[in-house]
Amino acid sequence: MAHDHTQHEGAAKLYELIKDIKVAMMTTIEPDGTLHSRPMWNHSADSSGDLWFFTRERAPKVRELSRDAQVNLGFADPSGQNYVSISGTAEIVRDQSKVKELWSEGLRTWFPKGPDDPDIALIRIHPAGGEYWDGPSRSVMQLYGY
Amino acid sequence: MAHDHTQHEGAAKLYELIKDIKVAMMTTIEPDGTLHSRPMWNHSADSSGDLWFFTRERAPKVRELSRDAQVNLGFADPSGQNYVSISGTAEIVRDQSKVKELWSEGLRTWFPKGPDDPDIALIRIHPAGGEYWDGPSRSVMQLYGY
Ligand SMILES: Cc1cc2nc3c(=O)[nH]c(=O)nc-3n(C[C@H](O)[C@H](O)[C@H](O)COP(=O)(O)O)c2cc1C
């Protein structure tokens, strides 16, 4: 499986680390060039290594990502001293069956109407590169195009 | 003190939150437009509300910031459920006395030669805006120009 990122050496470790850090800081570029980040609940990577997030369709980040798809996901677990950075591109996906597949009750805090809320969209992140720090040193990897 | 960000309503709370989160994910824009982040040890804000970080003068992030000064700092404390985002601009500062003032022994992991290492530079972040989440809801504030 040429496109299964999770099988890549190093990537397996990176995906393992983010499984335990449930919340990512998602950084996007605003129209005026400033960088904006917000905490986002991270779901398990799919079989191709892409990451999925829930959003309101009318949220500012959806507008920002439609203009500039570049995104960074920063994962920090200070207690375990694990830090992960993933650079990639985002795609807005409207797919009711995928929403249902990924839905978990914890999301009700932000989406009180549940998975049938027509205003829910998904952000699919395709990682291009990643780095992790599980101590003072750093591991860098390409996650794309192999 | 018109420029004392830490006195601003809301900002005081934001600065209090990041005091307890020692490490920020610093996101910069690479020449090819991709977003890059890395964990950085955060020092106390100075009296004007600016934030200071240590770096190697020849680190890639210094080159990135010289091209595009936009930066985002993402602070995550999953155990306390506190998240902070600060958007701002970065300036590279070469000031040996400021290096000595801010130096703490924990930095030796990344700067084993200590504060006299001539390759150390400082990154000064001037916050333009900030947001924090200390639960499911969000507080947004302007930190600039008041
Ligand atoms: C907890 C933690 C704190 C760090 N703090 C710093 C720091 O204060 N300054 C620094 O230059 N690098 C620090 N690093 C290393 C950086 O994350 C990064 O690997 C290094 O600065 C090179 O970054 P660059 O190639 O993007 O320029 C820290 C790493 C960790 C894991």
Side-chain angles (χ1 to χ4, degrees):
Chain A
M1 288 201 294
H3 289 285
D4 188 342
H5 292 159
T6 61
Q7 299 299 305
H8 187 249
E9 197 197 330
K13 170 77 176 169
L14 183 149
Y15 281 101
E16 203 186 294
L17 287 172
I18 63 172
K19 228 187 248 171
D20 294 329
I21 310 176
K22 292 277 169 255
V23 176
M25 292 299 279
M26 181 186 288
T27 308
T28 52
I29 307 179
E30 286 187 76
D32 66 358
T34 60
L35 299 179
H36 199 203
S37 77
R38 74 285 286 162
M40 296 284 282
W41 192 263
N42 177 41
H43 298 269
S44 312
D46 65 22
S47 60
S48 65
D50 287 354
L51 297 166
W52 293 81
F53 297 86
F54 277 65
T55 182
R56 302 218 151 275
E57 185 146 11
R58 277 163 297 198
K61 64 180 129 1
V62 171
R63 277 203 309 280
E64 287 164 27
L65 288 170
S66 309
R67 264 192 81 263
D68 191 328
Q70 294 294 343
V71 68
N72 183 272
L73 299 170
F75 296 83
D77 163 26
S79 58
Q81 290 212 57
N82 293 318
Y83 300 89
V84 177
S85 164
I86 293 179
S87 302
T89 47
E91 183 194 347
I92 308 299
V93 177
R94 291 160 191 92
D95 177 342
Q96 191 60 27
S97 66
K98 191 76 185 169
V99 167
K100 290 215 163 96
E101 178 196 325
L102 293 174
W103 177 262
S104 64
E105 281 305 313
L107 287 164
R108 232 173 248 279
T109 313
W110 301 282
F111 307 97
K113 291 186 202 156
D116 292 319
D117 184 344
D119 192 32
I120 294 180
L122 298 166
I123 302 174
R124 175 187 197 150
I125 309 279
H126 187 60
E131 289 163 67
Y132 66 83
W133 297 254
D134 54 348
S137 72
R138 170 174 76 136
S139 307
V140 185
M141 70 210 66
Q142 296 295 321
L143 291 168
Y144 184 81
Y146 55 85
Chain B
M1 288 204 294
H3 289 286
D4 188 342
H5 292 160
T6 60
Q7 299 299 304
H8 188 249
E9 196 199 329
K13 170 77 178 172
L14 184 149
Y15 281 101
E16 205 186 293
L17 287 172
I18 63 173
K19 227 187 249 169
D20 295 329
I21 309 176
K22 293 276 170 256
V23 176
M25 292 299 280
M26 180 186 288
T27 308
T28 52
I29 307 179
E30 286 186 75
D32 65 359
T34 60
L35 299 179
H36 201 203
S37 77
R38 73 288 283 161
M40 294 286 281
W41 194 262
N42 176 41
H43 299 268
S44 312
D46 66 21
S47 60
S48 65
D50 286 355
L51 297 166
W52 293 80
F53 296 85
F54 277 65
T55 184
R56 303 218 151 275
E57 185 146 10
R58 277 165 296 198
K61 65 178 120 14
V62 171
R63 276 204 310 279
E64 288 165 25
L65 288 169
S66 309
R67 265 193 80 263
D68 190 327
Q70 294 294 344
V71 69
N72 183 273
L73 299 169
F75 296 83
D77 163 25
S79 59
Q81 290 213 55
N82 293 319
Y83 300 90
V84 177
S85 163
I86 293 179
S87 303
T89 47
E91 183 193 347
I92 308 299
V93 176
R94 292 160 190 90
D95 177 341
Q96 190 60 30
S97 67
K98 190 77 186 169
V99 166
K100 289 216 163 93
E101 178 196 325
L102 293 174
W103 177 261
S104 64
E105 281 304 315
L107 286 164
R108 235 175 245 280
T109 313
W110 299 282
F111 308 96
K113 292 186 202 154
D116 292 319
D117 183 345
D119 191 32
I120 293 181
L122 297 166
I123 302 174
R124 176 189 197 150
I125 309 279
H126 186 61
E131 288 163 68
Y132 66 83
W133 297 255
D134 55 347
S137 72
R138 169 175 79 136
S139 307
V140 185
M141 69 212 64
Q142 296 296 319
L143 291 168
Y144 183 80
Y146 55 87

